[in-house]
Amino acid sequence: MSGAQGSSRGAQRLGEVVDRNRTITFTFNGKKYKGLEGDTIISALTANGVKIVSRSWKYHRRRGVMSGNYHDPNCHFQVNDEPNVRGAHRRLEEGMVVSTQNVSPSLKFDIGAVNQKLSRFLTAGFYYKTFIKPERLWPTYEKVLQRFAGGGKVAATGHHVPADKRYAHPDVLVAGGGPSGMSAALSAADAGSNVLLVEEEYELGGFLRWGTADELAVAQSLREKVAAHPKITTLTNAVVAGRYDQNWVSVIERGLPVVMESLIKVRTATLVAAPGLIERPYVFEGNDLPGVMLSTAVLRLVNLYAVKPGERAVVFTGNDSGIAAAEALRGIGVDVVQVVDARHGGGLVRATSSRGVLSGVELSDGSKVLCDLLVVAAGWTAPTTLLNLSGNHPVFDEAGARFVPGPDLDDTVFATGGLVGDGTIDEILAHGAAVGRQASERATNGSVTTVAPAFSPDPHLPLFFGTTKGIVDFSEDVSSKDLLTAAHEGYNSVELLKRYTTATMGPAQGKLETINTVAVLASANGESIEETGTTVWRPPYVPITLGALAGRSYEPVRYSPMQAWHESHGGINIVAGQWMRPEHYGDAAKEVSTVRSGVGIIDVTPLGKFELKGTDVTKLLNLVYVNKWSKLEVGAVRYGVMCGEDGVIFDDGVTGHLSEDRYFMSTTSSGAAGVYAHLESWLQTGFPEWDVTITNVTSAYASINIAGPQSRELLSKLVSDVDLSNEAFPYMNLRTGTIAGVPGCHMWRIGFTGELSFEIHVPAGFGAYVWETLMEHGADFGITPFGLEAQRIMRLEKGHFIVGQDTDGVTQGFSAGIDWLIKLDKDDFIGKPELQWQHDSGAGFRLVGIHPNDPKQVPTEASQIVIDGIIQGRITSSRFSPTLNRSICLGLVVPALAVAGTVVPIRLPNGTIIQGTVMEHHASYDHEGAKLRG
Amino acid sequence: MSRNKPVKYSALGLFKRGLSGKEWPRVWRDVDLKKTYDVVIIGAGVHGLSTAYYLAKNHGVKNVAVVDRAYVGGGGSGRNTAILRSNYLTPEGVRFYDRSVDLYRHLAADLNFNVMFAPRGHLTLAHNDGALRTMRWRAEVNKVQGIDSEVIGPEEIKKLVPYMDVSDDTRYPILGALYHPPGGIIRHDAVNWGYARAADAMGVEIHQKTEVLGINTAGGKVTGVRTNRGDVSAPIVINCTAGWATLIADMAGVKLPIITHPLQAAVTEPVQMFLSSVVVSGSLHVYVSQTDRGELVFGASTDPYAAYSMRSSLEFTEELAGHVLELMPSISKMRVLRQWSGLCDITPDFSPIMGFTEVEGFLVDVGWGTYGFKAGPASGEAMAQLAATNKTPEIISAFDLARFEEGRLASERGAAAVGH
Amino acid sequence: MILIPCPNCGPRNSSEFTYEGENKERPNAATVTKAQWRNYLYLKNNPLGWTTETWYHSSGCKKFLVAERHTMTNEIRSTKALGQQGGAS
């Protein structure tokens, strides 16, 4: 009976948090309801007499409010487009659309409930024992099982609104704003520490909030002191979600507009865990019926929201919380028909139902009592999560009937309040204050002198399960019978049992059910709870949205100073590592032919550029490059290849000699950061005595390659202080001068395209100006801008390899056809031994030029060369060459095939085999380099 | 103690026991540790258990103890993201993992234990032309080996994963993907338990909470192990301890080219099914699949520094979430429920080390990095054959320990980074 | 997040650093055997406990430093700067 039974809101309560003057309208499963401001979804539904709020995961049993806190597994709802909203925590908002998850077709009549009838066959892990044959049917069974999947729906479209993260650096972080937490915060702050106090609920006070008039007064007084203290920052509706290495702590701030919640990353000197206690359920038949509630759920509903959770109540208790709940119920006009106190020998056998909700209880004295509310107060769980995450192992405390922190606590982490023991309010406050001082001492001077007082003992009964079987894990629908069966089958350690039955694996993550799971297992094994041990709590303490974790993306995108020009002139972008650069301006083939016949310019700013200065630069160059650098004249440049110590090529580029002790090194675009770190590594860790300073000038210069037979004529128009003639400025040389009035530009006679070309490096601020000036003056020559694709075609025509495309993670130097470059007669260089051995053995693939026999066929890059079913090589680069009017390739092949004239079979992606011929040179265009030198 | 009387798992059996209330027999026995075995296997993960299973099943070697300092499947075998695939880069890798997928496909029937193998299809996204070229490379190598693997474009990706943002105005636009239909997911615990149960039924002993404290050798040969439950002698000892592999090998005086790095994973709260494929992005360092329970399971690359600590880190979930939302921006309201960590034994060439060491009888099945679970059945089958015949099976010949000293590294690192 | 005391910059989050791994002596390339060289390339001690390793403050001062770190607890008990770069001025 999920329908409303009229309002069950009682008379004003002393600690009431709802505003009776403000009504909020919302819908639940399509039906309109009214609540009050300050209500949670659950308090409003309860006030409206709604008892059945969800269906369980596996058996689709009717479920009502159980623990009444954030962790209540029965109170998950879809709210608008947000799945799995905690209805016992989330406050009502005007117009909220709330619905039940995991029901079909409706909460009232759920077809999945047929599983209840089958439950004796569907014991935990039943699916491991069936659907085994025939194998082909498993996907069908799987679809059926997937329909059990609980949880809400996620929208298929919509954007992530970035929630900005922030940082905090308090001296003391107090997790939990109950009496012990507030007391700890106040004393730490009084001792001079900056304190961040984080409370999960909407206001400070902890369990005092639903307590007696005296307790409310204590809470109010503490709240006022905290609010007035200048050294305490308080966050409510926020939660300490995790503690990581060296007190790196995640705090989630909830309830924010637009972004829902956001992440605060806290590095705190000390951490005080004061999360209080979580009331645990009791295992007996019918313990999951709507109408069976924990005492704290009742206390919250009655004392915070003035809601009557039933009309006729039985209270089963092993502690004073049950007594308090009974009093609260009487206070709001609920008929408490019997209080069954386990401390005085009372016992509960089972709860019985009528029409799916609680109708009565059967007690151990044989009596049966009719009721629509059963309040259970069996004991507590200490949520030791933050301590476990600090390396602490919980131990079982017999007297407290719960796991408590072990002795091996990190010396920057402290615990107080319910985690540590039970006590009077005064004892709790005193303990909190002492721990706050300790945390402050540790945070400031390092040594802890304060001694925390002990709590007076308050023994608890070991009330975990009764004489009948019931639900242990409400999130996962795992019963004590499931656990016993699994344990007897051999899944008899807490870790195996957890994995086999999925107990403690659901959304509550063990906060409600771990101790009962362990207790049932211990009974199955005939061991004590201590011997059985417990599982480790894993972060986060409460679930965190992906949105809050993601925050805003700070992955940089880099652009050259000419990017705006490219985009306004038809440049089509390509992502190249961090850089965005033009791939082409509409027609790459046309760009190629223009460069080959006239002139073109390409933006090569992303090239890595370093200035090296010092008397030992040549030593460094000799170390990191495979070739020799001692005799590089001032004004000359040289090509070099870098290998790792394993002889594998990792970068290439050109380095020029600017003046006596100054060099300018260029690297590949993607390799720049790696090369910089590599050079620094050798300088700092290997040869700190060398005089070399490296400055990364990649972004300090805009780089342009002017390529084509008319490039000299074009540049001549803009340069007057450097003689650009072939005699004065030959190939593989550099000059520094003024371009278009911009002084300090480096000009290099090199190029990747194979044409006469000048690579110019212009101070970045003038990049766009020089580019536009080149375009303007090049108009007479029919200049074209060209992009990465045209450059790739031309470099392939010229036979230049690209590191990382024509080489891979195991391509050693002699595999790339740079035998002429590698100088094994140098004393030493990085990777020399491996290259020597490769040279001697001839091992590894060889990079070769390949021309498909059919000039129109362009084999897709990565097409394999397969002979007798064995891969003997692959195409690493291929393009149709507009210059040669044929397809051209580079490929890595086994040495036996690396002989000019060899015909190799190339397997295209569609399986067709075409023939290609291994060429004498990598270059298909001007392999002598006459044009470059022209 | 007598052998376990095998009782067949079936729907009928479930039905009968449901009616009668009769309990199922123990999944494996709890027995005393003997003084002598023919083979001692260290590590009760999928590698150790499958090796024991195939030793008994294929070679009749049943006097075998699998010892583990914790519990069955407590290491990487119970902590991984249970993704299966065979679309590797090298021919030897492809062939080996394909054998594993093949064994996985029939494992439920073979073990009489439903391991829930679900070939949902596996997508490796490419966000730049270099990555796309590598995907093509893998596809072509796969096809030569007869593996179903192809490069597909954004429209096809969108059809397979409707929640994916394939627009081209994102930071890392999706240019294509390597699509591998036979790839999928499995229930990892079930694999571990299924192997343990089936091996036990043939006489293999599983010893949990049995920690190896030392390895005894004499004259260059292994003679047994020392444990917290006493010494055991055995002429063959197999190291299947993944992240702890070098610690065990050190006990035998064998040095391994392995570094232990934590690998983290995380799971969200369950939601209704919306993602059927396994999605991997190497550039974004993330992989994700949705379980039958409705949870998204996430993984990423290994932690950036060597460690034996299995504590989680916040930055892992931060980066993960950021990258997942790059791919599927609409799921930002899903919540991460739990994160955990396991240990990976990383080799220099991202390929395993299987076979003999310089200590006779001390065998290794290690170096499994982030791809150990996928390999479980094939490695068990091959290691069992190697242990039983004293010869290296051809299928693992490329993965020998000597390759490092001899400079014959496997080239899986050509496609390193995240390869799930 | 490990906090690494950089000798130049003070305590910084490990996310600012690049891990370079265990320190290893480079053999003399002129006389090295294959076994020695590949030991240098590939073999690590991989200890469970204290280890001495190099980190690079890549998003900071760009200096390399040597740290003693415990591989189980991630505690760092010392860091030291490497020798000064260059002989400049």
Side-chain angles (χ1 to χ4, degrees):
Chain A
M1 273 183 271
S2 60
Q5 304 281 304
S7 176
S8 61
R9 193 82 64 173
Q12 176 91 27
R13 305 293 295 169
L14 204 52
E16 185 171 305
V17 298
V18 288
D19 183 345
R20 293 185 183 243
N21 299 319
R22 289 171 178 265
T23 303
I24 291 180
T25 310
F26 69 106
T27 68
F28 176 59
N29 289 337
K31 196 171 165 189
K32 244 186 194 171
Y33 290 95
K34 283 186 167 46
L36 297 176
E37 186 159 307
D39 260 329
T40 62
I41 293 170
I42 274 301
S43 69
L45 286 174
T46 310
N48 281 286
V50 178
K51 288 204 155 187
I52 303 165
V53 298
S54 68
R55 291 277 185 160
S56 70
W57 170 289
K58 185 168 153 192
Y59 300 129
H60 291 243
R61 292 163 69 97
R62 294 173 180 85
R63 289 280 171 83
V65 181
M66 194 268 286
S67 65
N69 57 0
Y70 181 91
H71 310 295
D72 195 329
N74 298 348
C75 301
H76 290 198
F77 300 106
Q78 179 89 31
V79 174
N80 306 323
D81 64 344
E82 184 184 352
N84 304 340
V85 172
R86 272 39 178 196
H89 176 84
R90 180 68 62 87
R91 278 185 171 165
L92 216 53
E93 284 169 35
E94 185 60 40
M96 234 179 198
V97 178
V98 182
S99 53
T100 314
Q101 303 181 152
N102 195 28
V103 291
S104 169
S106 71
L107 178 58
K108 211 170 203 176
F109 177 76
D110 181 4
I111 195 90
V114 69
N115 290 349
Q116 287 174 50
K117 303 272 186 276
L118 299 175
S119 67
R120 57 161 61 171
F121 310 113
L122 305 184
T123 51
F126 76 93
Y127 32 78
Y128 297 127
K129 297 194 177 81
T130 184
F131 309 138
I132 293 169
K133 270 185 169 175
E135 290 155 357
R136 66 187 158 75
L137 283 185
W138 167 246
T140 312
Y141 298 138
E142 193 194 12
K143 291 263 177 326
V144 176
L145 272 188
Q146 285 173 355
R147 294 200 46 177
F148 286 86
K153 290 191 178 70
V154 205
T157 55
H159 280 279
H160 157 47
V161 182
D164 286 318
K165 299 172 189 175
R166 59 192 178 100
Y167 294 85
H169 298 87
D171 300 317
V172 179
L173 171 60
V174 180
S180 63
M182 284 194 282
S183 178
L186 284 165
S187 78
D190 283 344
S193 293
N194 286 310
V195 178
L196 180 61
L197 174 62
V198 180
E199 167 56 40
E200 202 175 352
E201 302 277 348
Y202 295 90
E203 62 173 351
L204 298 172
F207 70 89
L208 301 178
R209 294 167 61 233
W210 49 83
T212 61
D214 287 351
E215 290 169 333
L216 286 168
V218 171
Q220 187 54 30
S221 147
L222 286 167
R223 268 198 293 264
E224 282 164 11
K225 284 182 197 155
V226 166
H229 207 298
K231 295 190 89 70
I232 302 177
T233 305
T234 303
L235 296 172
T236 54
N237 195 19
V239 60
V240 177
R243 185 271 184 192
Y244 302 90
D245 282 330
Q246 286 131 26
N247 277 347
W248 183 246
V249 178
S250 56
V251 174
I252 301 300
E253 218 177 346
R254 299 190 285 227
L256 300 171
V258 187
V259 296
M260 292 174 42
E261 57 183 35
S262 74
L263 177 64
I264 306 171
K265 297 190 269 186
V266 184
R267 181 76 77 176
T268 184
T270 56
L271 170 65
V272 176
L277 293 169
I278 295 174
E279 193 168 20
R280 67 164 183 265
Y282 181 58
V283 182
F284 58 94
E285 186 180 331
N287 67 341
D288 66 330
L289 286 169
V292 181
M293 295 184 201
L294 303 189
S295 67
T296 43
V298 167
L299 284 163
R300 283 168 188 257
L301 285 172
V302 174
N303 287 346
L304 297 179
Y305 306 102
V307 166
K308 280 195 260 184
E311 296 298 329
R312 197 181 146 80
V314 170
V315 176
F316 171 69
T317 186
N319 56 45
D320 292 342
S321 185
I323 305 299
E327 268 170 44
L329 286 169
R330 286 191 196 103
I332 202 168
V334 174
D335 184 11
V336 178
V337 290
Q338 192 163 349
V339 175
V340 184
D341 196 325
R343 292 172 295 187
H344 304 129
L348 178 65
V349 176
R350 61 171 61 85
T352 53
S353 65
S354 165
R355 304 179 61 148
V357 298
L358 177 76
S359 61
V361 293
E362 190 181 320
L363 303 174
S364 56
D365 62 8
S367 62
K368 292 179 182 170
V369 187
L370 292 178
C371 60
D372 67 348
L373 175 66
L374 171 60
V375 184
V376 177
W380 311 96
T381 290
T384 55
T385 314
L386 292 176
L387 309 179
N388 299 163
L389 300 180
S390 315
N392 184 259
H393 297 86
V395 295
F396 189 69
D397 172 41
E398 201 113 9
R402 60 183 183 252
F403 284 93
V404 298
D408 52 343
L409 201 53
D410 186 290
D411 71 350
T412 62
V413 178
F414 301 82
T416 185
L419 273 191
V420 181
D422 303 294
T424 62
I425 303 281
D426 287 343
E427 285 175 332
I428 291 171
L429 295 178
H431 191 273
V435 165
R437 267 192 302 280
Q438 291 177 335
S440 180
E441 286 167 356
R442 182 71 183 82
T444 47
N445 62 24
S447 68
V448 173
T449 58
T450 301
V451 178
F455 288 113
S456 54
D458 178 16
H460 286 257
L461 295 172
L463 283 180
F464 306 110
F465 52 86
T467 53
T468 51
K469 307 283 191 293
I471 295 293
V472 175
D473 186 331
F474 291 71
S475 309
E476 296 285 305
D477 246 359
V478 177
S479 70
S480 52
K481 184 169 182 298
D482 287 326
L483 295 179
L484 291 167
T485 305
H488 289 144
E489 258 183 67
Y491 301 96
N492 55 2
S493 67
V494 65
E495 292 289 352
L496 287 175
L497 186 72
K498 166 178 123 179
R499 285 166 167 76
Y500 186 72
T501 64
T502 72
T504 78
M505 305 275 280
Q509 285 291 291
K511 290 177 195 72
L512 300 166
E513 62 278 1
T514 291
I515 178 79
N516 290 340
T517 302
V518 172
V520 172
L521 175 62
S523 78
N525 287 347
E527 297 174 330
S528 69
I529 290 178
E530 195 170 0
E531 286 165 327
T532 305
T534 187
T535 50
V536 181
W537 303 73
R538 287 167 170 165
Y541 177 68
V542 291
I544 310 175
T545 57
L546 291 172
L549 287 168
R552 192 179 296 277
S553 170
Y554 286 105
E555 307 210 18
V557 182
R558 302 177 75 178
Y559 300 105
S560 92
M562 291 83 94
Q563 182 66 18
W565 189 96
H566 303 319
E567 289 185 2
S568 62
H569 290 78
I572 303 299
N573 284 335
I574 183 169
V575 179
Q578 289 188 325
W579 294 87
M580 206 65 84
R581 58 189 303 190
E583 186 176 21
H584 57 81
Y585 299 82
D587 185 349
K590 198 164 155 230
E591 290 165 21
V592 170
S593 55
T594 307
V595 171
R596 293 269 183 244
S597 60
V599 65
I601 56 175
I602 179 171
D603 181 352
V604 292
T605 302
L607 284 175
K609 296 178 280 288
F610 306 117
E611 195 165 315
L612 287 67
K613 188 170 183 305
T615 53
D616 294 316
V617 173
T618 49
K619 289 182 184 166
L620 177 69
L621 298 176
N622 274 323
L623 177 71
V624 298
Y625 282 123
V626 298
N627 50 334
K628 291 186 184 172
W629 293 83
S630 304
K631 290 179 182 158
L632 188 70
E633 303 288 334
V634 171
V637 303
R638 187 168 286 170
Y639 172 73
V641 168
M642 294 184 195
C643 291
E645 288 282 49
D646 54 3
V648 172
I649 294 172
F650 88 90
D651 205 71
D652 68 347
V654 173
T655 292
H657 198 165
L658 294 175
S659 62
E660 193 185 341
D661 62 352
R662 284 175 66 219
Y663 288 74
F664 196 94
M665 173 186 280
S666 68
T667 73
T668 61
S669 307
S670 56
V675 170
Y676 180 84
H678 181 71
L679 300 179
E680 283 291 345
S681 170
W682 283 102
L683 283 177
Q684 291 183 38
T685 71
F687 301 94
E689 69 279 11
W690 285 359
D691 170 22
V692 182
T693 307
I694 304 172
T695 309
N696 186 343
V697 294
T698 300
S699 304
Y701 289 96
S703 305
I704 302 166
N705 196 286
I706 309 159
Q710 290 172 307
S711 56
R712 181 182 289 122
E713 278 176 77
L714 169 58
L715 191 58
S716 302
K717 290 182 162 191
L718 305 177
V719 175
S720 53
D721 58 354
V722 174
D723 181 351
L724 298 178
S725 69
N726 201 27
E727 298 68 37
F729 186 3
Y731 179 57
M732 292 307 269
N733 269 260
L734 69 81
R735 300 291 181 265
T736 302
T738 305
I739 302 177
V742 179
C745 299
H746 298 305
M747 292 166 252
W748 310 44
R749 265 206 63 189
I750 57 167
F752 210 31
T753 60
E755 293 300 330
L756 169 68
S757 52
F758 295 83
E759 191 159 292
I760 61 174
H761 303 285
V762 179
F766 297 100
Y769 162 73
V770 171
W771 176 274
E772 285 174 26
T773 308
L774 283 165
M775 285 304 299
E776 200 178 304
H777 287 81
D780 297 346
F781 306 103
I783 191 172
T784 181
F786 65 104
L788 204 55
E789 176 59 17
Q791 175 172 266
R792 282 174 178 165
I793 295 170
M794 287 186 274
R795 71 91 198 174
L796 186 57
E797 290 174 342
K798 180 62 187 160
H800 292 306
F801 64 81
I802 295 178
V803 175
Q805 173 168 348
D806 300 297
T807 71
D808 60 49
V810 293
T811 308
Q812 293 183 309
F814 286 101
S815 292
I818 51 164
D819 305 32
W820 56 275
L821 192 74
I822 303 170
K823 302 301 182 196
L824 292 172
D825 60 337
K826 277 204 291 183
D827 283 348
D828 190 11
F829 60 90
I830 294 165
K832 184 188 170 192
E834 287 292 349
L835 290 171
Q836 179 71 57
W837 297 323
Q838 194 203 6
H839 178 261
D840 298 346
S841 70
F845 279 26
R846 289 290 180 276
L847 189 68
V848 292
I850 296 173
H851 281 187
N853 292 1
D854 175 353
K856 291 197 175 52
Q857 283 276 9
V858 183
T860 309
E861 288 171 353
S863 292
Q864 299 293 302
I865 293 165
V866 185
I867 298 172
D868 296 335
I870 296 171
I871 293 170
Q872 306 275 20
R874 69 174 193 279
I875 300 297
T876 56
S877 294
S878 65
R879 285 291 186 278
F880 187 81
S881 160
T883 312
L884 302 164
N885 195 30
R886 74 159 357 271
S887 55
I888 54 171
C889 309
L890 283 175
L892 281 166
V893 297
V894 295
L897 299 179
V899 179
T902 307
V903 175
V904 294
I906 303 165
R907 186 187 184 282
L908 303 182
N910 66 9
T912 313
I913 311 288
I914 64 165
Q915 305 299 317
T917 302
V918 174
M919 307 307 289
E920 194 177 345
H921 304 288
H922 290 185
S924 303
Y925 176 77
D926 186 31
H927 79 88
E928 293 91 1
K931 291 181 184 289
L932 280 166
R933 293 178 172 79
Chain B
M1 190 167 172
S2 69
R3 291 246 308 267
N4 221 352
K5 189 159 175 262
V7 173
K8 208 165 155 58
Y9 288 166
S10 66
L12 184 64
L14 268 180
F15 179 69
K16 282 184 176 164
R17 280 169 203 263
L19 290 179
S20 67
K22 193 177 161 202
E23 287 192 347
W24 292 92
R26 286 180 64 98
V27 64
W28 55 78
R29 298 158 301 159
D30 216 353
V31 294
D32 290 335
L33 194 63
K34 292 192 298 193
K35 289 283 166 219
T36 306
Y37 294 92
D38 293 340
V39 180
V40 169
I41 296 169
I42 309 171
V46 64
H47 283 259
L49 294 167
S50 65
T51 301
Y53 170 75
Y54 294 111
L55 268 170
K57 183 185 175 221
N58 294 354
H59 305 281
V61 180
K62 296 175 179 178
N63 185 23
V64 176
V66 182
V67 300
D68 196 292
R69 84 173 163 182
Y71 53 94
V72 166
S77 298
R79 294 167 183 269
N80 68 86
T81 49
I83 296 170
L84 305 181
R85 66 180 177 91
S86 61
N87 58 352
Y88 279 73
L89 180 64
T90 60
E92 56 270 26
V94 171
R95 188 177 49 162
F96 176 76
Y97 287 96
D98 189 47
R99 175 64 187 157
S100 218
V101 169
D102 205 39
L103 287 167
Y104 266 130
R105 193 173 292 131
H106 304 293
L107 200 59
D110 193 16
L111 300 178
N112 179 233
F113 202 104
N114 188 356
V115 294
M116 305 185 187
F117 174 55
R120 306 247 204 106
H122 182 284
L123 289 165
T124 313
L125 304 174
H127 303 271
N128 58 58
D129 64 331
L132 195 60
R133 197 178 304 112
T134 303
M135 295 311 130
R136 172 62 72 191
W137 180 8
R138 276 167 63 181
E140 294 315 306
V141 171
N142 292 172
K143 283 190 261 179
V144 170
Q145 311 277 126
I147 307 297
D148 189 358
S149 192
E150 188 53 279
V151 174
I152 61 172
E155 308 75 31
E156 287 161 282
I157 296 169
K158 184 80 181 171
K159 270 183 218 151
L160 291 164
V161 186
Y163 278 54
M164 187 84 70
D165 182 357
V166 298
S167 61
D168 54 10
D169 59 352
T170 59
R171 174 67 182 84
Y172 298 101
I174 294 167
L175 303 185
L178 179 64
Y179 180 45
H180 179 46
I185 56 173
I186 199 163
R187 177 84 180 105
H188 53 15
D189 289 328
V191 171
N192 302 327
W193 301 331
Y195 269 124
R197 171 174 169 267
D200 171 86
M202 289 186 288
V204 169
E205 294 177 8
I206 317 277
H207 292 284
Q208 304 180 94
K209 294 180 186 164
T210 306
E211 182 172 4
V212 170
L213 306 170
I215 291 174
N216 294 326
T217 59
K221 292 183 186 178
V222 78
T223 57
V225 298
R226 297 192 296 280
T227 80
N228 60 336
R229 294 170 63 198
D231 287 9
V232 173
S233 67
I236 296 177
V237 173
I238 310 180
N239 178 4
C240 298
T241 56
W244 298 269
T246 58
L247 303 177
I248 295 291
D250 284 346
M251 293 176 185
V254 171
K255 297 298 283 181
L256 297 172
I258 283 175
I259 311 176
T260 297
H261 281 259
L263 176 65
Q264 301 190 53
V267 66
T268 65
E269 293 180 348
V271 293
Q272 301 297 311
M273 292 298 298
F274 71 91
L275 177 67
S276 65
S277 311
V278 179
V279 175
V280 178
S281 166
S283 307
L284 291 176
H285 302 289
V286 63
Y287 45 96
V288 54
S289 67
Q290 190 173 17
T291 68
D292 290 337
R293 292 159 50 83
E295 305 150 324
L296 291 187
V297 180
F298 300 120
S301 40
T302 54
D303 285 3
Y305 45 84
Y308 287 89
S309 162
M310 285 200 277
R311 291 189 212 166
S312 305
S313 73
L314 178 63
E315 53 272 29
F316 164 75
T317 48
E318 291 180 81
E319 285 167 24
L320 182 80
H323 291 151
V324 165
L325 294 183
E326 292 270 354
L327 302 176
M328 297 185 281
S330 73
I331 68 169
S332 68
K333 289 176 182 169
M334 286 187 75
R335 292 180 181 82
V336 171
L337 181 61
R338 177 174 68 244
Q339 59 177 132
W340 67 93
S341 174
L343 299 183
C344 292
D345 38 341
I346 310 279
T347 61
D349 60 358
F350 303 100
S351 294
I353 304 170
M354 307 173 75
F356 302 106
T357 65
E358 65 263 33
V359 175
E360 194 180 327
F362 181 68
L363 311 179
V364 290
D365 172 27
V366 298
W368 286 106
T370 61
Y371 29 84
F373 190 77
K374 301 164 181 55
S379 72
E381 185 184 53
M383 285 305 295
Q385 189 185 338
L386 182 141
T389 63
N390 205 33
K391 280 200 203 83
T392 303
E394 215 276 320
I395 194 167
I396 60 165
S397 59
F399 304 129
D400 62 328
L401 175 59
R403 74 178 184 275
F404 297 98
E405 194 172 320
E406 293 169 12
R408 293 181 279 108
L409 273 59
S411 46
E412 281 301 338
R413 75 170 167 184
V418 175
H420 301 264
Chain C
M1 182 74 78
I2 308 179
L3 199 58
I4 298 178
C6 172
N8 293 310
C9 313
R12 297 299 180 99
N13 283 346
S14 59
S15 56
E16 291 185 12
F17 297 79
T18 306
Y19 173 72
E20 300 283 318
E22 274 179 43
N23 286 356
K24 225 158 173 193
E25 193 75 22
R26 185 176 192 253
N28 183 337
T31 57
V32 73
T33 64
K34 281 186 187 175
Q36 289 165 340
W37 186 256
R38 283 158 184 166
N39 175 321
Y40 158 67
L41 285 184
Y42 304 127
L43 284 187
K44 307 281 173 187
N45 289 320
N46 199 31
L48 194 169
W50 292 103
T51 186
T52 305
E53 61 196 13
T54 304
W55 292 76
Y56 170 47
H57 201 178
S58 46
S59 299
C61 63
K62 309 253 185 226
K63 294 291 182 191
F64 287 75
L65 61 95
V66 173
E68 280 184 292
R69 181 177 61 97
H70 195 284
T71 59
M72 183 57 100
T73 64
N74 283 333
E75 184 191 339
I76 291 181
R77 69 177 174 196
S78 79
T79 51
K80 66 168 195 274
L82 286 157
Q84 284 302 303
Q85 178 210 336
S89 56

